[in-house]
């Protein structure tokens, strides 16, 4: 069943929402009177399509259609989620909500992207105030997972629906139980912004120096530990109480101008704009967005490998994508006489090299991941490995047959050449659609993790492996099996 989302207002944030929903398989209906809306959202979608699908090691569902509508009523028809991203003027938002509620289903979630207004302000005069809540995202919406969900006064059942939908999109709903102007995250940003304005105005630092102070220092720490966990570590073995005792008095020192705002006059605007142009003006906005997205994907995938912070969210989303598909199946669920699909994923941005295609080491990683998945299918999963048995790779041979680029959806199919006793001989074939890209041949031995020497697998592991070996033995042997390196003679 197709799920439908409505996007009311297709600017930077609305376009990001549209991309997030569409790339997760939703039909997206957009209303925006701007004649350039379709072009703008198309450009945002292009950036999103090259970055978001590569975050996970399993492919996202087929992309949903984006439809542009002439009226709000058309846009919200049959929508389960309606996201308002119109300008930050309360009278405009009230008028928009009135038109939305006149046409939408009463059980649809209505989220507002507002960065400043409280839900009680948005709900004033609404036909169904309990349907409206703040769902404040962060740019780029298609990559950053945080959504501040401020639902004071909203229907509790709709709040739970909203949390479930956001989680299914790979996002993190931060459910705030109390409302406050600018919510939580923007209050931090505005405090840092005020201090930065003073530093520039007083000639202490340039815009580039301030950005460098963040990106080379505390910004990296915050990305994976946040504020309080960072300071807990700073307290050393004595912990947070020691940190508070040591640095608490500094809060009374006259360092900061956080509660005072410099006069926002033309001189300050020109000073900051000039420094910003000197710092980043060599790049177009679209180029800067792609640079930003490349870096975000690389950092978030690094956190994914550590199962930490935003990376842990990606792993959770990935597990949900696998559930109910062939990629969550076990041996007994799969026919023994067919190749086993062990990967179906998008090539991420950080897997390419200076030639513009997937670099050699990533072929090995893709095939190694496929081997891990096959091990899991036959029962050699984390729980089994914890009992002291596993497979070690003894030999690998990869053939590179055709190019593959970032954004390509690749599928790996695995056959068992030999599966008996301690030995497992696998042959992986990597495809993009019906185009064979590479093969990987891997010979593994079952070992005892205690002795680090070959040992027989558990009977259920051996039985599952032999079942596939016998079934695959009837299949035609693929080209390249047992091939020595070099051209055939």
């Amino acid at each position: 069943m197709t799920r439908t989302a409505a996007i009311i207002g297709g600017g930077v944030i609305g376009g990001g929402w549209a991309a997030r929903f569409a790339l997760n398989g939703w039909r997206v209906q957009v209303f925006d009177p701007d004649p350039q809306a379709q072009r703008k959202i198309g450009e945002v979608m292009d950036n999103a399509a090259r970055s978001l699908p590569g975050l996970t090691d399993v492919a996202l569902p087929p992309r949903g259609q984006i439809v542009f509508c002439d009226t709000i009523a058309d846009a919200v028809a049959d929508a389960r989620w309606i996201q308002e991203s119109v300008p930050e003027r309360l009278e405009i938002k009230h008028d928009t909500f009135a038109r939305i509620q006149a046409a939408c289903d009463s059980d649809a979630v209505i989220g507002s992207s507002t960065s400043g207004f409280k839900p009680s302000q948005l709900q004033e005069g609404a036909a169904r105030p309990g349907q409206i809540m703040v769902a404040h995202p962060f740019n780029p919406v298609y990559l950053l997972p945080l959504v501040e969900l401020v639902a004071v006064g909203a229907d509790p059942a709709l709040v739970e629906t909203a949390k479930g939908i956001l989680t299914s999109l790979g996002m993190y709903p931060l459910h705030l139980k109390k409302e406050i102007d600018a919510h939580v995250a923007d209050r931090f940003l505005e405090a840092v912004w005020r201090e930065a304005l003073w530093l520039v105005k007083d000639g202490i630092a340039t815009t580039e120096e301030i950005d460098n102070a963040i990106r080379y220092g505390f910004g990296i720490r915050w990305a994976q530990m946040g504020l309080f966990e960072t300071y807990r570590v700073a307290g050393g073995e004595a912990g947070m109480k020691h940190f508070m005792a040591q640095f608490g008095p500094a809060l009374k020192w006259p360092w900061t101008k956080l509660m005072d705002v410099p006069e926002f006059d033309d001189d300050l605007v020109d000073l900051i704009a000039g420094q910003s142009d000197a710092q980043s003006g060599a790049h177009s906005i679209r180029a800067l967005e792609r640079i930003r997205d490349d870096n975000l994907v690389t950092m978030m995938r690094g956190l994914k490998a550590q199962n930490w912070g935003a990376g842990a969210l990606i792993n959770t989303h990935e597990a949900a994508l696998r559930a109910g598909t062939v990629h969550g199946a076990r041996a007994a669920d799969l026919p023994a006489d067919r190749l086993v699909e062990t990967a179906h994923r998008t090539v991420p941005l950080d897997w390419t090299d200076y030639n513009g295609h997937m670099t050699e080491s990533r072929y090995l990683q893709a095939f190694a991941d496929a081997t891990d998945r096959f091990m899991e299918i036959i029962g050699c999963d984390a729980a089994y490995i914890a009992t002291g048995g596993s497979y070690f790779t003894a030999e690998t041979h990869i053939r590179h047959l055709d190019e593959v680029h970032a954004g390509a959806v690749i599928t790996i199919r695995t056959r068992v050449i030999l599966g008996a006793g301690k030995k497992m001989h696998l042959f992986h074939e990597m495809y993009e659609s019906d185009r064979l890209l590479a093969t990987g041949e891997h010979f593994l031995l079952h070992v005892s993790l205690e002795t680090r020497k070959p040992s027989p697998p558990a009977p259920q592991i051996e039985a599952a492996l032999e079942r596939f070996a016998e079934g695959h033995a009837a299949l035609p042997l693929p080209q390249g099996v047992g091939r020595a390196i070099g051209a055939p003679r």
Side-chain angles (χ1 to χ4, degrees):
M1 180 178 176
T2 302
R3 296 166 296 176
T4 300
I7 306 300
I8 311 302
V12 172
I13 298 300
W17 275 112
R20 172 72 80 161
F21 275 104
L23 290 172
N24 277 280
W26 287 59
R27 173 184 169 90
V28 178
Q29 298 171 173
V30 179
F31 171 76
D32 191 322
D34 180 1
Q36 296 296 313
Q38 191 162 349
R39 175 189 63 80
K40 292 176 181 177
I41 289 181
E43 291 176 354
V44 172
M45 188 67 183
D46 288 343
N47 279 351
R50 68 183 287 277
S51 56
L52 176 65
L55 279 183
T56 57
D57 294 332
V58 60
L60 293 174
R63 185 187 303 185
Q65 184 182 13
I66 297 181
V67 179
F68 291 85
C69 301
D70 294 329
T71 66
I72 286 179
D74 289 340
V76 303
D78 300 322
R80 291 181 59 195
W81 185 288
I82 301 162
Q83 188 69 22
E84 169 272 309
S85 301
V86 302
E88 289 283 86
R89 288 172 53 190
L90 198 53
E91 67 274 15
I92 295 178
K93 291 184 182 294
H94 284 162
D95 177 68
T96 300
F97 291 136
R99 290 196 278 164
I100 288 172
Q101 291 193 314
C104 76
D105 293 340
S106 60
D107 60 351
V109 173
I110 301 177
S112 174
S113 299
T114 181
S115 58
F117 291 120
K118 295 176 288 190
S120 60
Q121 294 173 291
L122 301 176
Q123 294 162 358
E124 290 173 356
R128 296 183 297 276
Q131 194 175 10
I132 299 170
M133 62 194 79
V134 169
H136 174 235
F138 288 80
N139 189 36
V141 182
Y142 52 80
L143 283 182
L144 296 187
L146 180 63
V147 179
E148 292 179 306
L149 191 66
V150 195
V152 177
D155 181 339
L158 280 182
V159 175
E160 291 305 309
T161 297
K163 290 162 71 174
I165 290 174
L166 291 170
T167 300
S168 75
L169 298 174
M171 305 184 87
Y172 177 75
L174 180 64
H175 184 193
L176 303 179
K177 309 303 190 298
K178 293 185 178 181
E179 63 178 15
I180 187 173
D181 293 322
H183 323 314
V184 170
D186 272 356
R187 293 180 75 90
F188 289 120
L189 294 177
E190 289 172 12
V192 174
W193 173 242
R194 291 189 201 103
E195 191 74 357
L197 292 179
W198 277 116
L199 291 171
V200 174
K201 181 179 178 63
D202 292 346
I204 304 299
T206 65
T207 58
E208 184 172 13
E209 289 166 342
I210 291 168
D211 284 349
N212 287 343
I214 295 170
R215 62 178 158 218
Y216 299 144
F218 63 86
I220 300 174
R221 297 187 311 197
W222 282 7
Q224 46 106 17
M225 278 193 165
L227 180 66
F228 285 101
E229 199 162 51
T230 293
Y231 285 155
R232 179 181 177 85
V233 174
E237 294 182 1
M240 186 57 116
K241 282 191 175 181
H242 172 70
F243 175 82
M244 296 291 285
Q246 185 174 6
F247 292 98
L251 299 177
K252 298 180 181 179
W253 296 345
W255 286 357
T256 181
K257 295 180 178 178
L258 289 176
M259 301 307 295
D260 192 12
V261 184
E263 185 179 353
F264 212 67
D265 55 20
D266 289 343
D267 289 340
L268 180 57
V269 171
D270 290 343
L271 177 62
I272 290 176
Q275 291 183 5
S276 179
D277 288 345
Q279 175 186 350
S280 307
H283 302 287
S284 69
I285 292 300
R286 291 291 174 253
L288 282 173
E289 288 175 343
R290 288 189 289 273
I291 291 167
R292 174 201 65 193
D293 291 355
D294 290 356
N295 292 333
L296 284 173
V297 167
T298 301
M299 289 188 287
M300 291 169 74
R301 285 188 58 77
L303 290 170
K304 179 180 184 297
Q306 300 301 316
N307 197 37
W308 199 262
L313 287 178
I314 297 170
N315 285 329
T316 300
H317 187 216
E318 188 174 296
L321 290 170
R322 282 199 172 100
T325 71
V326 67
H327 300 285
R330 292 303 181 114
D333 304 319
L334 300 171
D337 58 350
R338 297 182 190 174
L339 301 186
V340 181
E341 187 172 303
T342 48
H344 182 63
R345 57 162 307 149
T346 301
V347 177
L349 296 170
D350 60 339
W351 277 25
T352 55
D353 62 13
Y354 46 82
N355 291 319
H357 58 202
M358 195 160 87
T359 195
E360 291 96 327
S361 62
R362 299 304 187 178
Y363 285 88
L364 178 58
Q365 180 173 338
F367 287 134
D369 289 347
T371 298
D372 288 347
R373 173 63 188 132
F374 184 78
M375 287 169 53
E376 185 180 62
I377 287 170
I378 63 173
C380 188
D381 54 13
Y384 176 78
I385 292 170
T387 67
S390 187
Y391 282 92
F392 283 6
T393 303
E395 189 170 345
T396 296
H397 182 201
I398 296 175
R399 297 187 305 151
H400 303 273
L401 304 175
D402 206 342
E403 285 189 293
V404 60
H405 303 93
V409 178
I410 58 173
T411 301
I412 296 177
R413 303 185 185 99
T414 300
R415 74 176 65 212
V416 180
I417 304 298
L418 171 67
K422 308 168 189 176
K423 300 176 182 179
M424 181 163 65
H425 182 179
L426 303 179
F427 191 80
H428 301 299
E429 295 174 298
M430 180 189 296
Y431 287 88
E432 181 185 12
S433 188
D434 59 353
R435 186 165 60 95
L436 182 61
L437 305 171
T439 64
E441 190 169 358
H442 306 259
F443 182 75
L444 302 94
L445 288 170
H446 189 276
V447 300
S448 162
L449 294 178
E450 182 179 354
T451 65
R452 320 301 282 189
K453 293 182 179 179
S455 67
Q460 71 273 18
I461 305 291
E462 185 172 13
L465 179 60
E466 288 180 347
R467 174 174 172 266
F468 283 114
E470 291 170 3
H472 292 173
L475 300 175
L477 203 63
Q479 287 189 346
V481 172
R483 165 88 179 271
I485 196 167
R489 295 180 180 179

